[in-house]
């Protein structure tokens, strides 16, 4: 279960009244929007009363965005004033729009699936089965005599520990559509790029999802590893194709002139991506700050370099990342790694609360995913 914050509640906890802050122009539903996050907020300047998240971005309302980037008023989305946004260095984008619009690009993209959508089934030689949620890599359930017993374990370490006793590894995909949150992760980058008339790079991190499993498969025989990866690819690309279909529909609507979509099967762009990021990411100073979890290292390299993709592909010097606020850490690390060649700004938005009232859509159970609820937005 999450801890949820609101702009109104955060201001009160800092001893501030809404009317004494920049948020006095915001709607009540924005002030009371439930934000799932850690307690990483501060108010550096009490005179302005602006909330700052992880010392990386200011919490803003839609009208604050319009004060800096007035062309965002052209976004056709009925809930745009309802969201809190996290913005940083938007003035740089504003100035570049006036002097050199061709130097700007928007970057963004979704996660492929969330919790409760793809299970990993590990079968040992005694036919005992262990179920893992691929999204978290944790919480397996041991099936013994028809009974489920919940335990805490990490998928990678479990496979390593039992590598000589693994009979099979399989997958079960429950994802039959895209959630409204996933739709927004695709729609917002398109809408912002269209409003500002800039280039756009979209990313589907299917290659990153594969890398976690590839690391795990090092513990297996070559034959089993090949079989496991093939079965996972069937699931992965089935899901990725849902996004590609949505992206194609949105590109048909918006017709962004300078557009690129990176995913694992786009071999040409993948080659450019890996080659161009190396000088920035494959440095000890950067690598040592990423993670101590070897199983996740290669995937994290992807996440902290993806915001810079417009620079790698188009040579864009000013990049506006439009993404989930869950990508704040990736945004910060990418910005730091590339500070010598580009400016990285952001508009990030929070995860939506699911219909269960206690989880975000990403974390909720299948019966609250509400697949394809977004379809009416495309009509």
């Amino acid at each position: 279960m999450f801890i949820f914050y609101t702009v109104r509640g955060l201001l009160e906890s800092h001893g501030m009244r809404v009317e004494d802050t920049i948020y006095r122009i915001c709607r009540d539903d924005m002030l009371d929007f439930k934000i799932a996050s850690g307690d990483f907020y501060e108010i550096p300047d009490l005179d302005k009363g602006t909330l700052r998240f992880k010392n990386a971005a200011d919490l803003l309302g839609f009208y604050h965005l319009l004060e800096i980037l007035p062309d965002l008023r052209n976004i056709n989305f009925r809930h745009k004033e309802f969201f809190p946004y996290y913005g940083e260095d938007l003035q740089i984008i504003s100035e570049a729009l006036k002097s050199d619009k061709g130097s700007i690009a928007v970057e963004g993209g979704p996660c492929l699936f969330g919790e409760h959508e793809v299970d990993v089934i590990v079968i040992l030689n005694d036919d005992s089965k262990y179920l893992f949620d691929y999204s978290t890599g944790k919480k397996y359930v041991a099936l013994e005599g028809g009974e489920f017993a919940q335990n805490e374990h990490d998928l990678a370490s479990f496979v390593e520990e039992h590598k000589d006793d693994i009979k099979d590894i399989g997958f079960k995909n429950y994802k039959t559509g895209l959630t409204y949150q996933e739709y927004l992760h695709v729609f917002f980058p398109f809408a912002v790029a269209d409003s500002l008339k800039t280039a756009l790079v979209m990313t589907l991190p299917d290659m990153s999802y594969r890398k976690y499993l590839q690391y795990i498969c090092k513990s297996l025989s070559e034959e089993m590893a090949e079989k496991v990866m093939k079965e996972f690819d069937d699931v992965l690309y089935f899901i990725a194709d849902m996004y590609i279909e949505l992206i194609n529909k949105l590109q048909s609507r918006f017709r962004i002139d300078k557009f690129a979509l990176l995913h694992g099967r786009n071999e040409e762009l993948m080659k450019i991506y890996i080659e161009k990021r190396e000088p920035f990411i494959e440095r000890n100073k950067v690598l040592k700050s990423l993670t101590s979890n070897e199983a996740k290292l290669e995937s994290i390299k992807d996440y902290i370099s993806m915001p810079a993709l417009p620079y790698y592909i188009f040579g864009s010097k000013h990049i506006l990342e439009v993404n989930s606020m869950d990508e704040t850490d990736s945004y910060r690390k990418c910005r730091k790694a590339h500070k010598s060649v580009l400016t990285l700004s952001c508009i990030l938005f929070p995860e939506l609360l699911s219909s269960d009232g206690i989880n975000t859509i990403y974390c909720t159970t299948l019966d609250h995913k509400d697949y394809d609820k977004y379809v009416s937005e495309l009509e």
Side-chain angles (χ1 to χ4, degrees), residues 9-275:
L10 285 166
L11 291 174
E12 289 177 357
S13 68
H14 284 84
M16 303 288 291
R17 300 188 309 164
V18 172
E19 54 267 35
D20 296 329
T21 70
I22 66 166
Y23 307 105
R24 59 185 174 273
I25 65 173
C26 297
R27 293 168 30 159
D28 284 342
D29 48 10
M30 178 274 187
L31 295 172
D32 296 320
F33 185 102
K34 291 184 177 180
I35 305 168
S37 72
D39 185 12
F40 303 115
Y41 296 90
E42 59 182 347
I43 302 179
D45 187 341
L46 294 178
D47 291 334
K48 292 183 179 180
T50 304
L51 289 159
R52 189 159 177 80
F53 182 64
K54 288 190 173 183
N55 196 28
D58 291 337
L59 203 163
L60 305 170
F62 188 72
Y63 289 109
H64 300 126
L65 299 182
L66 292 184
E67 289 173 356
I68 309 171
L69 298 171
D71 287 340
L72 293 181
R73 67 182 179 278
N74 297 318
I75 292 178
N76 184 19
F77 178 58
R78 64 180 182 273
H79 300 306
K80 61 189 177 185
E81 298 170 20
F82 170 62
F83 282 87
Y85 299 90
Y86 296 77
E88 181 73 351
D89 282 343
L90 298 181
Q91 192 62 43
I92 294 176
I93 300 297
S94 175
E95 293 168 1
L97 284 170
K98 300 171 186 175
S99 61
D100 186 10
K101 183 175 289 192
S103 68
I104 307 170
V106 170
E107 186 277 334
C111 296
L112 290 188
F113 53 84
E115 293 184 36
H116 308 293
E117 295 189 298
V118 177
D119 280 347
V120 186
I121 305 139
V122 182
I123 305 175
L124 301 186
N125 287 326
D126 64 0
D127 289 328
S128 59
K129 296 179 181 179
Y130 298 84
L131 305 185
F132 294 78
D133 186 295
Y134 192 88
S135 177
T136 63
K138 297 179 179 179
K139 291 189 176 179
Y140 73 94
V141 180
L143 182 60
E144 300 171 351
E147 297 295 327
F148 286 90
Q150 190 169 357
N151 297 272
E152 287 292 333
H153 212 297
D154 175 81
L155 175 61
S157 59
F158 181 85
V159 171
E160 171 63 26
E161 181 181 342
H162 296 277
K163 60 185 176 184
D164 297 325
D165 195 33
I166 293 177
K167 182 178 182 179
D168 195 15
I169 296 178
F171 304 90
K172 177 64 176 177
N173 174 39
Y174 298 97
K175 189 173 182 63
T176 59
L178 302 182
T179 67
Y180 197 75
Q181 184 77 53
E182 290 163 341
Y183 166 74
L184 292 181
H185 287 164
V186 178
F187 169 80
F188 265 131
F190 266 103
V192 172
D194 176 66
S195 296
L196 301 181
K197 304 305 177 188
T198 66
L200 171 64
V201 176
M202 292 291 301
T203 57
L204 290 181
D206 51 355
M207 76 295 287
S208 311
Y209 281 61
R210 289 186 89 251
K211 287 174 181 178
Y212 176 62
L213 188 61
Q214 282 177 315
Y215 180 91
I216 292 171
C217 282
K218 290 179 181 180
S219 300
L220 308 176
S221 68
E222 184 176 344
E223 180 181 2
M224 182 177 289
E226 184 176 342
K227 177 256 184 193
V228 169
M229 292 305 303
K230 169 63 172 64
E231 290 187 8
F232 183 65
D233 283 346
D234 290 343
V235 171
L236 189 65
Y237 297 142
F238 172 80
I239 295 172
D241 285 343
M242 295 183 197
Y243 287 99
I244 292 173
E245 180 181 1
L246 173 60
I247 288 167
N248 288 339
K249 287 180 179 178
L250 289 173
Q251 174 60 349
S252 294
R253 174 200 288 186
F254 289 110
R255 299 189 182 280
I256 305 296
D257 290 337
K258 205 171 181 180
F259 173 74
L261 170 60
L262 178 80
H263 58 86
R265 290 169 288 174
N266 188 333
E267 296 181 3
E268 182 179 354
L269 281 188
M270 280 298 300
K271 183 179 179 181
I272 292 172
Y273 173 43
I274 298 302
E275 288 179 355

Side-chain angles (χ1 to χ4, degrees), residues 56-58 65 68-69 86-96 103-108 192 196 306-308 310 316-323 327-328 330-332 334-336 338-339 342-348:
D58 291 337
L65 299 182
I68 309 171
L69 298 171
Y86 296 77
E88 181 73 351
D89 282 343
L90 298 181
Q91 192 62 43
I92 294 176
I93 300 297
S94 175
E95 293 168 1
S103 68
I104 307 170
V106 170
E107 186 277 334
V192 172
L196 301 181
M306 283 178 180
S316 305
K317 296 295 182 67
H318 303 292
I319 299 172
L320 175 59
E321 183 178 12
V322 178
N323 215 322
E327 302 303 321
T328 301
S330 297
Y331 160 77
R332 287 195 308 176
C334 182
R335 176 179 170 138
K336 186 175 181 180
H338 295 80
K339 63 182 180 180
L342 59 86
T343 62
L344 183 57
S345 307
C346 72
I347 297 176
L348 309 176

